[in-house]
PDB file of all heavy atoms in Angstrom:
ATOM      1  N   PRO A   1       0.810  -1.222   0.000  1.00  0.00           N
ATOM      2  CA  PRO A   1       0.000   0.000   0.000  1.00  0.00           C
ATOM      3  C   PRO A   1       0.846   1.276   0.000  1.00  0.00           C
ATOM      4  O   PRO A   1       0.488   2.273  -0.637  1.00  0.00           O
ATOM      5  CB  PRO A   1      -0.815  -0.125   1.296  1.00  0.00           C
ATOM      6  CG  PRO A   1      -0.876  -1.588   1.570  1.00  0.00           C
ATOM      7  CD  PRO A   1       0.429  -2.144   1.091  1.00  0.00           C
ATOM      8  N   LEU A   2       1.971   1.266   0.724  1.00  0.00           N
ATOM      9  CA  LEU A   2       2.826   2.452   0.779  1.00  0.00           C
ATOM     10  C   LEU A   2       3.371   2.794  -0.600  1.00  0.00           C
ATOM     11  O   LEU A   2       3.310   3.958  -1.038  1.00  0.00           O
ATOM     12  CB  LEU A   2       3.979   2.213   1.755  1.00  0.00           C
ATOM     13  CG  LEU A   2       5.055   3.309   1.807  1.00  0.00           C
ATOM     14  CD1 LEU A   2       4.467   4.616   2.317  1.00  0.00           C
ATOM     15  CD2 LEU A   2       6.238   2.867   2.657  1.00  0.00           C
ATOM     16  N   LEU A   3       3.905   1.792  -1.293  1.00  0.00           N
ATOM     17  CA  LEU A   3       4.481   2.058  -2.608  1.00  0.00           C
ATOM     18  C   LEU A   3       3.411   2.458  -3.614  1.00  0.00           C
ATOM     19  O   LEU A   3       3.658   3.307  -4.484  1.00  0.00           O
ATOM     20  CB  LEU A   3       5.238   0.817  -3.100  1.00  0.00           C
ATOM     21  CG  LEU A   3       6.487   0.435  -2.291  1.00  0.00           C
ATOM     22  CD1 LEU A   3       7.146  -0.794  -2.882  1.00  0.00           C
ATOM     23  CD2 LEU A   3       7.478   1.593  -2.240  1.00  0.00           C
ATOM     24  N   ASN A   4       2.230   1.871  -3.512  1.00  0.00           N
ATOM     25  CA  ASN A   4       1.138   2.267  -4.408  1.00  0.00           C
ATOM     26  C   ASN A   4       0.702   3.702  -4.155  1.00  0.00           C
ATOM     27  O   ASN A   4       0.340   4.427  -5.086  1.00  0.00           O
ATOM     28  CB  ASN A   4      -0.053   1.322  -4.234  1.00  0.00           C
ATOM     29  CG  ASN A   4       0.226  -0.073  -4.765  1.00  0.00           C
ATOM     30  OD1 ASN A   4       1.043  -0.250  -5.665  1.00  0.00           O
ATOM     31  ND2 ASN A   4      -0.447  -1.075  -4.218  1.00  0.00           N
ATOM     32  N   ARG A   5       0.780   4.100  -2.896  1.00  0.00           N
ATOM     33  CA  ARG A   5       0.340   5.459  -2.546  1.00  0.00           C
ATOM     34  C   ARG A   5       1.324   6.521  -3.043  1.00  0.00           C
ATOM     35  O   ARG A   5       0.915   7.599  -3.489  1.00  0.00           O
ATOM     36  CB  ARG A   5       0.166   5.567  -1.032  1.00  0.00           C
ATOM     37  CG  ARG A   5      -0.407   6.893  -0.569  1.00  0.00           C
ATOM     38  CD  ARG A   5      -0.692   6.891   0.917  1.00  0.00           C
ATOM     39  NE  ARG A   5      -1.308   8.131   1.360  1.00  0.00           N
ATOM     40  CZ  ARG A   5      -2.596   8.401   1.293  1.00  0.00           C
ATOM     41  NH1 ARG A   5      -3.431   7.496   0.801  1.00  0.00           N
ATOM     42  NH2 ARG A   5      -3.082   9.556   1.718  1.00  0.00           N
ATOM     43  N   ILE A   6       2.621   6.219  -2.962  1.00  0.00           N
ATOM     44  CA  ILE A   6       3.627   7.220  -3.333  1.00  0.00           C
ATOM     45  C   ILE A   6       4.080   7.077  -4.780  1.00  0.00           C
ATOM     46  O   ILE A   6       4.905   7.875  -5.244  1.00  0.00           O
ATOM     47  CB  ILE A   6       4.851   7.153  -2.411  1.00  0.00           C
ATOM     48  CG1 ILE A   6       5.610   5.832  -2.596  1.00  0.00           C
ATOM     49  CG2 ILE A   6       4.452   7.344  -0.963  1.00  0.00           C
ATOM     50  CD1 ILE A   6       6.901   5.760  -1.803  1.00  0.00           C
ATOM     51  N   ALA A   7       3.573   6.058  -5.485  1.00  0.00           N
ATOM     52  CA  ALA A   7       4.012   5.850  -6.865  1.00  0.00           C
ATOM     53  C   ALA A   7       3.618   7.036  -7.729  1.00  0.00           C
ATOM     54  O   ALA A   7       2.488   7.545  -7.647  1.00  0.00           O
ATOM     55  CB  ALA A   7       3.388   4.573  -7.420  1.00  0.00           C
ATOM     56  N   PRO A   8       4.524   7.528  -8.573  1.00  0.00           N
ATOM     57  CA  PRO A   8       4.185   8.672  -9.438  1.00  0.00           C
ATOM     58  C   PRO A   8       3.238   8.243 -10.551  1.00  0.00           C
ATOM     59  O   PRO A   8       3.128   7.060 -10.889  1.00  0.00           O
ATOM     60  CB  PRO A   8       5.554   9.070 -10.010  1.00  0.00           C
ATOM     61  CG  PRO A   8       6.347   7.805  -9.998  1.00  0.00           C
ATOM     62  CD  PRO A   8       5.887   7.043  -8.783  1.00  0.00           C
ATOM     63  N   LYS A   9       2.557   9.209 -11.109  1.00  0.00           N
ATOM     64  CA  LYS A   9       1.687   8.916 -12.235  1.00  0.00           C
ATOM     65  C   LYS A   9       2.544   8.550 -13.442  1.00  0.00           C
ATOM     66  O   LYS A   9       3.523   9.226 -13.760  1.00  0.00           O
ATOM     67  CB  LYS A   9       0.808  10.128 -12.559  1.00  0.00           C
ATOM     68  CG  LYS A   9      -0.219  10.443 -11.474  1.00  0.00           C
ATOM     69  CD  LYS A   9      -1.106  11.603 -11.882  1.00  0.00           C
ATOM     70  CE  LYS A   9      -2.159  11.886 -10.811  1.00  0.00           C
ATOM     71  NZ  LYS A   9      -3.027  13.042 -11.179  1.00  0.00           N
ATOM     72  N   VAL A  10       2.165   7.457 -14.103  1.00  0.00           N
ATOM     73  CA  VAL A  10       2.948   6.952 -15.228  1.00  0.00           C
ATOM     74  C   VAL A  10       2.258   7.327 -16.532  1.00  0.00           C
ATOM     75  O   VAL A  10       1.047   7.149 -16.688  1.00  0.00           O
ATOM     76  CB  VAL A  10       3.102   5.416 -15.134  1.00  0.00           C
ATOM     77  CG1 VAL A  10       3.884   4.885 -16.333  1.00  0.00           C
ATOM     78  CG2 VAL A  10       3.797   5.041 -13.838  1.00  0.00           C
ATOM     79  N   ASP A  11       3.046   7.877 -17.464  1.00  0.00           N
ATOM     80  CA  ASP A  11       2.535   8.184 -18.798  1.00  0.00           C
ATOM     81  C   ASP A  11       2.511   6.876 -19.594  1.00  0.00           C
ATOM     82  O   ASP A  11       3.530   6.452 -20.150  1.00  0.00           O
ATOM     83  CB  ASP A  11       3.447   9.213 -19.469  1.00  0.00           C
ATOM     84  CG  ASP A  11       2.875   9.696 -20.801  1.00  0.00           C
ATOM     85  OD1 ASP A  11       1.963   9.032 -21.330  1.00  0.00           O
ATOM     86  OD2 ASP A  11       3.357  10.720 -21.321  1.00  0.00           O
ATOM     87  N   ARG A  12       1.370   6.220 -19.614  1.00  0.00           N
ATOM     88  CA  ARG A  12       1.286   4.910 -20.237  1.00  0.00           C
ATOM     89  C   ARG A  12       1.626   4.970 -21.724  1.00  0.00           C
ATOM     90  O   ARG A  12       2.269   4.056 -22.260  1.00  0.00           O
ATOM     91  CB  ARG A  12      -0.126   4.337 -20.069  1.00  0.00           C
ATOM     92  CG  ARG A  12      -0.578   4.119 -18.636  1.00  0.00           C
ATOM     93  CD  ARG A  12       0.337   3.189 -17.875  1.00  0.00           C
ATOM     94  NE  ARG A  12       0.568   1.930 -18.559  1.00  0.00           N
ATOM     95  CZ  ARG A  12       1.361   0.971 -18.085  1.00  0.00           C
ATOM     96  NH1 ARG A  12       1.995   1.148 -16.945  1.00  0.00           N
ATOM     97  NH2 ARG A  12       1.532  -0.155 -18.762  1.00  0.00           N
ATOM     98  N   ALA A  13       1.211   6.037 -22.391  1.00  0.00           N
ATOM     99  CA  ALA A  13       1.490   6.141 -23.829  1.00  0.00           C
ATOM    100  C   ALA A  13       2.992   6.207 -24.085  1.00  0.00           C
ATOM    101  O   ALA A  13       3.516   5.519 -24.971  1.00  0.00           O
ATOM    102  CB  ALA A  13       0.797   7.380 -24.402  1.00  0.00           C
ATOM    103  N   ALA A  14       3.684   7.036 -23.298  1.00  0.00           N
ATOM    104  CA  ALA A  14       5.134   7.155 -23.474  1.00  0.00           C
ATOM    105  C   ALA A  14       5.837   5.850 -23.125  1.00  0.00           C
ATOM    106  O   ALA A  14       6.786   5.439 -23.795  1.00  0.00           O
ATOM    107  CB  ALA A  14       5.665   8.296 -22.609  1.00  0.00           C
ATOM    108  N   LEU A  15       5.339   5.174 -22.069  1.00  0.00           N
ATOM    109  CA  LEU A  15       5.940   3.909 -21.661  1.00  0.00           C
ATOM    110  C   LEU A  15       5.732   2.836 -22.727  1.00  0.00           C
ATOM    111  O   LEU A  15       6.666   2.070 -23.045  1.00  0.00           O
ATOM    112  CB  LEU A  15       5.330   3.456 -20.337  1.00  0.00           C
ATOM    113  CG  LEU A  15       5.934   2.198 -19.698  1.00  0.00           C
ATOM    114  CD1 LEU A  15       7.403   2.425 -19.380  1.00  0.00           C
ATOM    115  CD2 LEU A  15       5.173   1.838 -18.425  1.00  0.00           C
ATOM    116  N   ASP A  16       4.529   2.776 -23.288  1.00  0.00           N
ATOM    117  CA  ASP A  16       4.253   1.800 -24.343  1.00  0.00           C
ATOM    118  C   ASP A  16       5.113   2.078 -25.576  1.00  0.00           C
ATOM    119  O   ASP A  16       5.602   1.146 -26.221  1.00  0.00           O
ATOM    120  CB  ASP A  16       2.772   1.839 -24.718  1.00  0.00           C
ATOM    121  CG  ASP A  16       1.884   1.305 -23.609  1.00  0.00           C
ATOM    122  OD1 ASP A  16       2.406   0.629 -22.706  1.00  0.00           O
ATOM    123  OD2 ASP A  16       0.664   1.590 -23.635  1.00  0.00           O
ATOM    124  N   GLU A  17       5.287   3.360 -25.888  1.00  0.00           N
ATOM    125  CA  GLU A  17       6.118   3.720 -27.031  1.00  0.00           C
ATOM    126  C   GLU A  17       7.571   3.318 -26.807  1.00  0.00           C
ATOM    127  O   GLU A  17       8.244   2.807 -27.707  1.00  0.00           O
ATOM    128  CB  GLU A  17       6.032   5.235 -27.273  1.00  0.00           C
ATOM    129  CG  GLU A  17       6.868   5.736 -28.443  1.00  0.00           C
ATOM    130  CD  GLU A  17       6.446   5.112 -29.760  1.00  0.00           C
ATOM    131  OE1 GLU A  17       5.254   4.779 -29.909  1.00  0.00           O
ATOM    132  OE2 GLU A  17       7.320   4.950 -30.636  1.00  0.00           O
ATOM    133  N   GLN A  18       8.046   3.522 -25.589  1.00  0.00           N
ATOM    134  CA  GLN A  18       9.414   3.129 -25.249  1.00  0.00           C
ATOM    135  C   GLN A  18       9.581   1.615 -25.349  1.00  0.00           C
ATOM    136  O   GLN A  18      10.595   1.125 -25.867  1.00  0.00           O
ATOM    137  CB  GLN A  18       9.759   3.602 -23.837  1.00  0.00           C
ATOM    138  CG  GLN A  18      11.169   3.279 -23.400  1.00  0.00           C
ATOM    139  CD  GLN A  18      11.451   3.765 -21.982  1.00  0.00           C
ATOM    140  OE1 GLN A  18      10.715   4.592 -21.436  1.00  0.00           O
ATOM    141  NE2 GLN A  18      12.512   3.272 -21.388  1.00  0.00           N
ATOM    142  N   THR A  19       8.591   0.870 -24.881  1.00  0.00           N
ATOM    143  CA  THR A  19       8.642  -0.590 -24.950  1.00  0.00           C
ATOM    144  C   THR A  19       8.631  -1.069 -26.391  1.00  0.00           C
ATOM    145  O   THR A  19       9.377  -1.981 -26.772  1.00  0.00           O
ATOM    146  CB  THR A  19       7.451  -1.198 -24.189  1.00  0.00           C
ATOM    147  OG1 THR A  19       7.467  -0.742 -22.844  1.00  0.00           O
ATOM    148  CG2 THR A  19       7.518  -2.712 -24.211  1.00  0.00           C
ATOM    149  N   ARG A  20       7.785  -0.442 -27.224  1.00  0.00           N
ATOM    150  CA  ARG A  20       7.729  -0.818 -28.644  1.00  0.00           C
ATOM    151  C   ARG A  20       9.060  -0.542 -29.333  1.00  0.00           C
ATOM    152  O   ARG A  20       9.532  -1.361 -30.132  1.00  0.00           O
ATOM    153  CB  ARG A  20       6.598  -0.061 -29.348  1.00  0.00           C
ATOM    154  CG  ARG A  20       5.212  -0.653 -29.118  1.00  0.00           C
ATOM    155  CD  ARG A  20       4.205  -0.093 -30.105  1.00  0.00           C
ATOM    156  NE  ARG A  20       4.034   1.346 -29.928  1.00  0.00           N
ATOM    157  CZ  ARG A  20       3.120   1.893 -29.113  1.00  0.00           C
ATOM    158  NH1 ARG A  20       2.314   1.103 -28.409  1.00  0.00           N
ATOM    159  NH2 ARG A  20       3.021   3.199 -28.997  1.00  0.00           N
ATOM    160  N   ALA A  21       9.656   0.600 -29.016  1.00  0.00           N
ATOM    161  CA  ALA A  21      10.947   0.933 -29.626  1.00  0.00           C
ATOM    162  C   ALA A  21      12.018  -0.072 -29.208  1.00  0.00           C
ATOM    163  O   ALA A  21      12.856  -0.490 -30.021  1.00  0.00           O
ATOM    164  CB  ALA A  21      11.358   2.349 -29.220  1.00  0.00           C
ATOM    165  N   GLU A  22      11.975  -0.475 -27.940  1.00  0.00           N
ATOM    166  CA  GLU A  22      12.935  -1.464 -27.448  1.00  0.00           C
ATOM    167  C   GLU A  22      12.765  -2.797 -28.175  1.00  0.00           C
ATOM    168  O   GLU A  22      13.746  -3.427 -28.600  1.00  0.00           O
ATOM    169  CB  GLU A  22      12.738  -1.651 -25.941  1.00  0.00           C
ATOM    170  CG  GLU A  22      13.659  -2.654 -25.304  1.00  0.00           C
ATOM    171  CD  GLU A  22      14.789  -1.996 -24.530  1.00  0.00           C
ATOM    172  OE1 GLU A  22      15.056  -0.814 -24.771  1.00  0.00           O
ATOM    173  OE2 GLU A  22      15.394  -2.681 -23.700  1.00  0.00           O
ATOM    174  N   ARG A  23      11.537  -3.223 -28.336  1.00  0.00           N
ATOM    175  CA  ARG A  23      11.278  -4.497 -29.007  1.00  0.00           C
ATOM    176  C   ARG A  23      11.629  -4.423 -30.488  1.00  0.00           C
ATOM    177  O   ARG A  23      12.106  -5.406 -31.070  1.00  0.00           O
ATOM    178  CB  ARG A  23       9.812  -4.885 -28.816  1.00  0.00           C
ATOM    179  CG  ARG A  23       9.476  -5.306 -27.394  1.00  0.00           C
ATOM    180  CD  ARG A  23       8.010  -5.608 -27.216  1.00  0.00           C
ATOM    181  NE  ARG A  23       7.732  -6.061 -25.856  1.00  0.00           N
ATOM    182  CZ  ARG A  23       6.522  -6.237 -25.366  1.00  0.00           C
ATOM    183  NH1 ARG A  23       5.461  -6.011 -26.134  1.00  0.00           N
ATOM    184  NH2 ARG A  23       6.355  -6.644 -24.116  1.00  0.00           N
ATOM    185  N   THR A  24      11.408  -3.256 -31.093  1.00  0.00           N
ATOM    186  CA  THR A  24      11.764  -3.088 -32.505  1.00  0.00           C
ATOM    187  C   THR A  24      13.267  -3.225 -32.687  1.00  0.00           C
ATOM    188  O   THR A  24      13.738  -3.896 -33.613  1.00  0.00           O
ATOM    189  CB  THR A  24      11.295  -1.716 -33.016  1.00  0.00           C
ATOM    190  OG1 THR A  24       9.871  -1.623 -32.886  1.00  0.00           O
ATOM    191  CG2 THR A  24      11.686  -1.526 -34.480  1.00  0.00           C
ATOM    192  N   ARG A  25      14.046  -2.604 -31.799  1.00  0.00           N
ATOM    193  CA  ARG A  25      15.502  -2.729 -31.871  1.00  0.00           C
ATOM    194  C   ARG A  25      15.931  -4.182 -31.669  1.00  0.00           C
ATOM    195  O   ARG A  25      16.843  -4.676 -32.332  1.00  0.00           O
ATOM    196  CB  ARG A  25      16.164  -1.849 -30.802  1.00  0.00           C
ATOM    197  CG  ARG A  25      16.128  -0.370 -31.084  1.00  0.00           C
ATOM    198  CD  ARG A  25      17.122   0.399 -30.226  1.00  0.00           C
ATOM    199  NE  ARG A  25      16.941   0.177 -28.804  1.00  0.00           N
ATOM    200  CZ  ARG A  25      17.870  -0.341 -28.016  1.00  0.00           C
ATOM    201  NH1 ARG A  25      19.041  -0.721 -28.502  1.00  0.00           N
ATOM    202  NH2 ARG A  25      17.638  -0.502 -26.716  1.00  0.00           N
TER     203      ARG A  25
END
């Protein structure tokens, strides 16, 4: 619960794009 509470908001679109770029490479 502590880590979920303090976790920053994640830009899912940017993260997905980064993952796609990694897999493409």
